[in-house]
Amino acid sequence: MDFSDVVPNVSLAVFSPDSSLLAICTGQKVVVKNATQLDNLQVFSFPDTITAIEFSPNSQYILVCMPKRGAVEARSVYEEEWVCKIEDPAIGLLNARWTPDSRQIITFSDFQLRASIYSLVDKSIAYIKNPKFTDKGISFSSNGKFMALAERKEAKDYIGIYYCGDWKLINYFFSDTYDLADIKWSPDDTVIVAWDTFLEYKLLIFCPLQGLIAKYHPYEYALGIKTVKFCNNGQYLGVGSHDEKLRLFNSLSWKLIIELEHKSQISDAPDTTIFKEEESKDGPTRFVTLEGIVKLNALKSAQDKPNPNSGISLISWSFDKAFVATKTDWIPNVVWIWETTTLSLKSVLIQSQPVKFIAFSNHSYHLAVAAGTTKLYFWSLEGASVCDVPYEGKSFCVNRLDWSTDSKTLLLFDKNEIVIAYPPAEFTTSNDKTRMHTETP
């Protein structure tokens, strides 16, 4: 695997949706580079500190947020003189994002007073009052025609459905939640999923036309949902909770398929492969295979204290929903890989350090793992492997990672530095000969 030079003093970095560009933010400056050659295409300077950057869905423009100034700006990657500035110092602008058509920008004001939609075509402005959040609680249908927005009125939660053509309200639902945490539109556009605060386990399924169609509320008086993630085609929904279980739901019936429990002891199962990272003073770090019953190092979780060390905090689906990888904060050094065709545990990776981030390639069964060390870890059907991030005299620790859409490049994050990795060709294509595909129950 090849690596770029270390890019220092980076506060934000993001790939464009078409994988051709990379935007790097350093304080008040944004540099747009070619993602493969890393040549500078544009260098933009801004009047204040940037807290968020986002490429437009068509990869032609880039949006930056400057909340201290109460302003956002959009720039064209290929037309240097094109500039769009939006300012609202009276009520402030905390965040902004693109609409799916790349022709409009949605901004969110301070104190969640309103969301404003600015058209870059005719300069018109539409307003929506009382959005509940500024950084979440908004989701678009995959066809880009509709938007779901979490709203808060008179101490109650609601979900509004808006048509993105004229921003008229087409449906409105009351959300029976104590404190709505977030919403997601399913990838197949059939439902909107909402879930409650982690203080109460409640999962709600809304049809955009009919309203509430399903509710899941397995227990009370205990911490609830921590992570929610659809597989790519929306057929299955994974819900990770504080009771150390990953619950899989079928989107056709919204019935619970299975509860996958993360235990501190792994029994001797013939179909489960356990890999443990083994460090050597003289030789390279490698994974060794363990057999028999394996006991894992679990933390003591105090459920009566804020932010307890419990719950499924990371979920990553493979590109074809055949596998789902998880990490629980109760056993932070372990990655669990489950096979959905058999509804069983496929592999376990035991790291020497707590796992920070996991992500499957968008086109193959290669799972990348970051553990805050100078190494990058991978799992695939062939086994587990370790790759050193090779910088002599410099300690670059991988705390987070991000695949490009085509999976040809991998963005590695340290605290204020980044490195671009270039995986081998097999990371970008699936090998259908390596496994049999069957329908999941």
Side-chain angles (χ1 to χ4, degrees):
M1 183 176 294
D2 296 326
F3 296 88
S4 71
D5 293 333
V6 176
V7 182
N9 303 318
V10 176
S11 56
L12 300 164
V14 62
F15 283 119
S16 62
D18 66 359
S19 303
S20 65
L21 304 173
L22 172 66
I24 299 173
C25 176
T26 57
Q28 298 178 213
K29 183 182 295 185
V30 173
V31 180
V32 180
K33 294 176 174 286
N34 180 292
T36 54
Q37 303 298 325
L38 297 183
D39 299 325
N40 287 2
L41 299 180
Q42 294 287 356
V43 179
F44 302 119
S45 296
F46 299 92
D48 210 334
T49 302
I50 299 167
T51 60
I53 58 175
E54 182 188 14
F55 274 104
S56 60
N58 64 6
S59 302
Q60 300 292 311
Y61 305 93
I62 189 164
L63 179 68
V64 303
C65 300
M66 297 170 284
K68 290 184 179 180
R69 183 174 286 264
V72 300
E73 285 193 28
R75 299 288 184 92
S76 171
V77 175
Y78 302 105
E79 298 178 31
E80 188 173 353
E81 296 182 355
W82 189 93
V83 180
C84 172
K85 296 183 179 181
I86 301 173
E87 295 183 356
D88 198 343
I91 60 174
L93 294 180
L94 293 186
N95 203 3
R97 61 174 299 166
W98 290 98
T99 58
D101 61 3
S102 302
R103 297 181 179 182
Q104 300 171 93
I105 297 172
I106 303 177
T107 66
F108 296 90
S109 68
D110 204 353
F111 305 110
Q112 293 80 47
L113 294 177
R114 71 187 185 194
S116 305
I117 302 98
Y118 296 84
S119 172
L120 304 183
V121 179
D122 58 12
K123 298 183 181 180
S124 62
I125 307 174
Y127 299 104
I128 300 175
K129 294 182 179 179
N130 305 312
K132 182 168 185 179
F133 307 103
T134 60
D135 59 346
K136 58 180 182 177
I138 180 173
S139 184
F140 292 93
S141 59
S142 61
N143 60 18
K145 294 182 178 181
F146 303 98
M147 179 188 76
L149 183 68
E151 302 177 21
R152 186 78 170 176
K153 296 179 181 179
E154 299 177 350
K156 294 182 180 180
D157 295 320
Y158 298 88
I159 299 175
I161 311 296
Y162 297 86
Y163 175 57
C164 295
D166 54 14
W167 299 105
K168 289 184 178 180
L169 181 67
I170 61 173
N171 220 333
Y172 201 63
F173 310 128
F174 168 69
S175 177
D176 183 21
T177 47
Y178 175 74
D179 185 11
L180 179 66
D182 205 352
I183 60 175
K184 286 183 184 293
W185 209 302
S186 64
D188 59 4
D189 292 345
T190 57
V191 299
I192 298 164
V193 174
W195 60 97
D196 212 336
T197 170
F198 69 92
L199 297 175
E200 182 174 355
Y201 197 120
K202 187 178 291 186
L203 181 72
L204 305 176
I205 312 299
F206 293 92
C207 170
L209 296 177
Q210 302 174 3
L212 185 67
I213 59 173
K215 179 192 294 187
Y216 187 73
H217 187 48
Y219 57 79
E220 294 181 332
Y221 311 117
L223 298 181
I225 296 173
K226 191 166 187 175
T227 314
V228 176
K229 195 165 187 179
F230 276 102
C231 66
N232 288 343
N233 67 355
Q235 187 174 356
Y236 302 111
L237 176 69
V239 181
S241 51
H242 280 273
D243 63 355
E244 313 305 337
K245 295 179 181 179
L246 173 71
R247 291 172 171 86
L248 298 183
F249 294 86
N250 188 319
S251 65
L252 295 177
S253 62
W254 289 110
K255 300 294 185 181
L256 177 66
I257 300 174
I258 195 172
E259 295 179 345
L260 301 174
E261 188 171 0
H262 298 63
K263 300 180 180 180
S264 59
Q265 180 173 293
I266 302 175
S267 59
D268 187 9
D271 297 329
T272 302
T273 308
I274 303 173
F275 300 97
K276 183 177 182 180
E277 182 184 359
E278 187 178 77
E279 296 179 333
S280 174
K281 294 182 180 180
D282 301 326
T285 300
R286 63 192 182 101
F287 278 105
V288 295
T289 304
L290 302 182
E291 297 180 352
I293 298 175
V294 177
K295 293 184 177 180
L296 305 175
N297 294 325
L299 301 177
K300 293 183 179 180
S301 179
Q303 297 289 336
D304 57 342
K305 295 183 179 180
N307 302 316
N309 295 317
S310 66
I312 312 301
S313 57
L314 297 175
I315 300 174
S316 180
W317 288 90
S318 64
F319 70 100
D320 64 348
K321 72 180 185 303
F323 298 99
V324 58
T326 56
K327 176 237 175 173
T328 171
D329 290 343
W330 181 50
I331 313 174
N333 291 40
V334 176
V335 178
W336 314 67
I337 298 106
W338 309 87
E339 187 169 9
T340 59
T341 54
T342 60
L343 299 177
S344 61
L345 186 61
K346 176 69 174 179
S347 293
V348 175
L349 303 183
I350 304 175
Q351 309 286 153
S352 61
Q353 298 296 323
V355 174
K356 303 289 187 180
F357 203 85
I358 58 175
F360 269 105
S361 164
N362 297 311
H363 298 278
S364 70
Y365 296 128
H366 290 84
L367 176 73
V369 179
T373 68
T374 58
K375 299 173 177 60
L376 187 60
Y377 306 92
F378 291 99
W379 174 89
S380 68
L381 294 175
E382 287 73 33
S385 58
V386 184
C387 181
D388 289 300
V389 183
Y391 295 103
E392 295 183 3
K394 188 174 184 62
S395 178
F396 183 92
C397 297
V398 184
N399 289 297
R400 189 166 63 88
L401 52 89
D402 182 26
W403 290 96
S404 61
T405 304
D406 59 9
S407 296
K408 293 182 179 180
T409 48
L410 186 60
L411 192 56
L412 310 180
F413 295 83
D414 200 343
K415 291 182 179 179
N416 58 356
E417 298 174 324
I418 64 167
V419 164
I420 297 89
Y422 301 92
E426 58 263 26
F427 282 55
T428 64
T429 56
S430 61
N431 185 358
D432 294 336
K433 297 179 181 180
T434 59
R435 63 176 280 107
M436 294 292 291
H437 291 279
T438 59
E439 288 298 321
T440 305

Coordinates of all heavy atoms in Angstrom, one line a residue, residues 216 237-239 245-250 255-261 324 338-340 342-345 440-441:
Y216 N -40.9 -0.1 18.0 CA -40.2 -1.1 18.7 C -39.7 -0.5 20.0 O -39.0 0.5 20.0 CB -39.0 -1.6 17.9 CG -38.4 -2.8 18.5 CD1 -39.0 -4.1 18.5 CD2 -37.1 -2.7 19.1 CE1 -38.3 -5.2 19.1 CE2 -36.5 -3.8 19.7 CZ -37.1 -5.0 19.7 OH -36.5 -6.1 20.3
L237 N -31.9 -3.0 8.7 CA -31.5 -1.9 9.6 C -30.8 -2.5 10.8 O -31.4 -3.4 11.4 CB -32.8 -1.1 10.0 CG -32.6 0.0 11.0 CD1 -31.8 1.2 10.4 CD2 -33.9 0.5 11.6
G238 N -29.7 -1.9 11.1 CA -28.9 -2.3 12.3 C -29.1 -1.3 13.4 O -28.9 -0.1 13.1
V239 N -29.5 -1.7 14.6 CA -29.7 -0.8 15.7 C -28.8 -1.3 16.9 O -29.0 -2.4 17.4 CB -31.2 -0.8 16.1 CG1 -31.3 0.2 17.3 CG2 -32.0 -0.3 15.0
K245 N -26.3 -5.3 22.5 CA -26.9 -6.1 21.4 C -27.0 -5.2 20.1 O -27.4 -4.1 20.2 CB -28.3 -6.6 21.8 CG -28.2 -7.6 23.0 CD -29.6 -8.1 23.4 CE -29.6 -9.0 24.5 NZ -30.9 -9.5 24.9
L246 N -26.8 -5.9 19.0 CA -27.1 -5.4 17.7 C -28.4 -6.0 17.2 O -28.4 -7.3 17.0 CB -26.0 -5.6 16.7 CG -26.3 -5.2 15.3 CD1 -26.3 -3.7 15.1 CD2 -25.2 -5.8 14.3
R247 N -29.4 -5.3 17.0 CA -30.7 -5.8 16.6 C -30.8 -5.5 15.1 O -30.7 -4.4 14.6 CB -31.9 -5.2 17.3 CG -31.9 -5.6 18.8 CD -32.9 -4.9 19.6 NE -33.2 -5.4 20.9 CZ -32.4 -5.1 22.0 NH1 -31.4 -4.3 21.9 NH2 -32.7 -5.7 23.2
L248 N -31.1 -6.6 14.3 CA -31.3 -6.5 12.9 C -32.8 -6.5 12.5 O -33.5 -7.5 13.0 CB -30.6 -7.6 12.1 CG -29.0 -7.6 12.3 CD1 -28.4 -8.7 11.4 CD2 -28.4 -6.2 11.9
F249 N -33.3 -5.6 11.7 CA -34.7 -5.5 11.3 C -34.8 -5.7 9.8 O -34.0 -5.2 9.1 CB -35.3 -4.2 11.7 CG -35.4 -4.0 13.2 CD1 -34.4 -3.5 13.9 CD2 -36.6 -4.3 13.9 CE1 -34.4 -3.3 15.3 CE2 -36.7 -4.1 15.3 CZ -35.6 -3.6 16.0
N250 N -35.8 -6.4 9.4 CA -36.2 -6.5 8.0 C -37.1 -5.4 7.6 O -38.1 -5.2 8.2 CB -36.8 -7.9 7.8 CG -37.0 -8.2 6.3 OD1 -37.4 -7.4 5.5 ND2 -36.8 -9.5 5.9
K255 N -40.1 -6.5 11.2 CA -40.0 -7.5 12.3 C -38.5 -7.7 12.7 O -37.6 -7.6 11.8 CB -40.6 -8.8 11.9 CG -42.0 -8.8 11.5 CD -42.9 -8.4 12.7 CE -44.4 -8.5 12.3 NZ -45.3 -8.1 13.5
L256 N -38.3 -7.9 14.0 CA -36.9 -8.2 14.4 C -36.4 -9.5 13.9 O -37.1 -10.5 14.1 CB -36.9 -8.2 16.0 CG -35.6 -8.5 16.6 CD1 -34.6 -7.4 16.3 CD2 -35.7 -8.7 18.1
I257 N -35.3 -9.5 13.2 CA -34.7 -10.7 12.7 C -33.9 -11.5 13.8 O -34.1 -12.7 14.0 CB -33.8 -10.4 11.5 CG1 -34.5 -9.8 10.4 CG2 -33.1 -11.7 11.0 CD1 -33.7 -9.3 9.2
I258 N -33.0 -10.8 14.5 CA -32.2 -11.4 15.5 C -31.6 -10.3 16.4 O -31.4 -9.2 16.0 CB -31.1 -12.2 14.8 CG1 -30.4 -13.2 15.8 CG2 -30.1 -11.3 14.1 CD1 -29.5 -14.2 15.1
E259 N -31.2 -10.8 17.6 CA -30.4 -9.9 18.5 C -29.0 -10.6 18.6 O -28.9 -11.7 19.0 CB -31.0 -9.9 19.9 CG -32.4 -9.2 19.9 CD -33.0 -9.2 21.3 OE1 -32.5 -10.0 22.2 OE2 -33.9 -8.5 21.6
L260 N -28.0 -9.8 18.1 CA -26.6 -10.3 18.1 C -26.0 -9.7 19.4 O -25.7 -8.5 19.4 CB -25.9 -9.9 16.8 CG -26.5 -10.4 15.5 CD1 -25.8 -9.8 14.3 CD2 -26.5 -11.9 15.5
E261 N -25.7 -10.6 20.3 CA -25.2 -10.1 21.6 C -23.7 -10.2 21.7 O -23.0 -11.1 21.2 CB -25.7 -11.0 22.7 CG -25.4 -10.5 24.1 CD -26.1 -11.2 25.2 OE1 -26.9 -12.1 24.9 OE2 -26.0 -10.9 26.4
V324 N -21.7 -7.3 8.6 CA -21.8 -6.1 9.3 C -20.8 -6.2 10.5 O -20.7 -7.2 11.2 CB -23.3 -5.9 9.9 CG1 -23.7 -7.0 10.7 CG2 -23.4 -4.6 10.6
W338 N -20.0 -9.9 11.8 CA -21.1 -10.8 11.7 C -21.5 -11.1 10.3 O -21.5 -10.2 9.4 CB -22.4 -10.3 12.4 CG -22.1 -9.7 13.8 CD1 -21.6 -8.5 14.1 CD2 -22.2 -10.5 15.0 NE1 -21.5 -8.4 15.5 CE2 -21.8 -9.6 16.1 CE3 -22.6 -11.8 15.4 CZ2 -21.8 -10.0 17.4 CZ3 -22.7 -12.1 16.7 CH2 -22.3 -11.2 17.7
E339 N -21.9 -12.4 10.0 CA -22.3 -12.8 8.6 C -23.8 -12.8 8.6 O -24.5 -13.6 9.4 CB -21.7 -14.1 8.2 CG -22.0 -14.5 6.8 CD -21.2 -15.7 6.3 OE1 -20.6 -16.3 7.2 OE2 -21.2 -16.0 5.1
T340 N -24.5 -12.0 7.7 CA -25.9 -11.9 7.8 C -26.6 -13.1 7.1 O -27.8 -13.3 7.3 CB -26.3 -10.6 7.1 OG1 -25.9 -10.6 5.7 CG2 -25.8 -9.4 7.8
T342 N -25.9 -16.2 7.5 CA -26.0 -17.3 8.5 C -26.4 -16.7 9.9 O -26.7 -17.5 10.8 CB -24.7 -18.0 8.7 OG1 -23.7 -17.1 9.1 CG2 -24.3 -18.7 7.4
L343 N -26.5 -15.4 10.0 CA -26.8 -14.7 11.3 C -25.9 -15.2 12.4 O -26.4 -15.5 13.5 CB -28.3 -15.0 11.6 CG -29.3 -14.4 10.6 CD1 -30.7 -14.8 11.0 CD2 -29.2 -12.9 10.5
S344 N -24.6 -15.3 12.1 CA -23.7 -15.8 13.1 C -22.4 -15.0 13.1 O -22.2 -14.1 12.2 CB -23.3 -17.3 12.8 OG -22.7 -17.4 11.5
L345 N -21.6 -15.2 14.1 CA -20.3 -14.4 14.2 C -19.3 -15.0 13.3 O -18.9 -16.2 13.4 CB -19.8 -14.5 15.7 CG -18.6 -13.6 16.0 CD1 -18.9 -12.2 15.8 CD2 -18.2 -13.9 17.5
T440 N -30.7 -13.6 2.9 CA -30.7 -13.5 4.4 C -32.2 -13.8 4.8 O -33.1 -13.2 4.2 CB -30.2 -12.2 4.9 OG1 -28.9 -12.0 4.4 CG2 -30.2 -12.2 6.4
P441 N -32.4 -14.5 5.9 CA -33.8 -14.7 6.4 C -34.5 -13.4 6.7 O -33.9 -12.5 7.1 CB -33.6 -15.6 7.6 CG -32.3 -16.2 7.5 CD -31.4 -15.3 6.7

